[in-house]
Amino acid sequence: MNSHKVTLEISETLFEQLSLLADLKEESIEYLAIQIIAAKLPCLIQKESQLNQLLAAIKPDSIHSEIGLET
């Protein structure tokens, strides 16, 4: 499996939270960041896809009828 390196700039607060979790779990910050991203990504992709489908279904005529501005 190929891998890619990503450099992220995060807030001090987020880094401190990630560091605390890493200490509690005795894992590296990098490992935890990858695990968190991997766990959330499928759900985010699905939600974005569903939103795009809903937005694509909106037509000017349906918007006007929904708000009572029949054309």
Side-chain angles (χ1 to χ4, degrees):
M1 178 165 122
N2 293 336
S3 63
H4 300 274
K5 184 172 185 157
V6 175
T7 302
L8 302 173
E9 186 171 325
I10 61 175
S11 70
E12 184 69 24
T13 302
L14 184 56
F15 180 81
E16 288 171 0
Q17 291 174 335
L18 194 53
S19 180
L20 176 60
L21 182 60
D23 288 344
L24 292 170
K25 293 181 69 69
E26 298 180 352
E27 299 285 356
S28 72
I29 291 173
E30 294 83 0
Y31 175 81
L32 287 176
I34 291 168
Q35 294 302 308
I36 292 167
I37 291 168
K40 289 296 290 180
L41 198 54
C43 178
L44 293 172
I45 291 170
Q46 181 182 16
K47 285 181 179 182
E48 189 67 25
S49 178
Q50 289 171 344
L51 177 60
N52 287 341
Q53 289 174 357
L54 289 171
L55 291 173
I58 296 174
K59 306 292 181 223
D61 292 343
S62 64
I63 292 174
H64 290 131
S65 65
E66 287 292 324
I67 59 174
L69 298 174
E70 299 292 334
T71 57

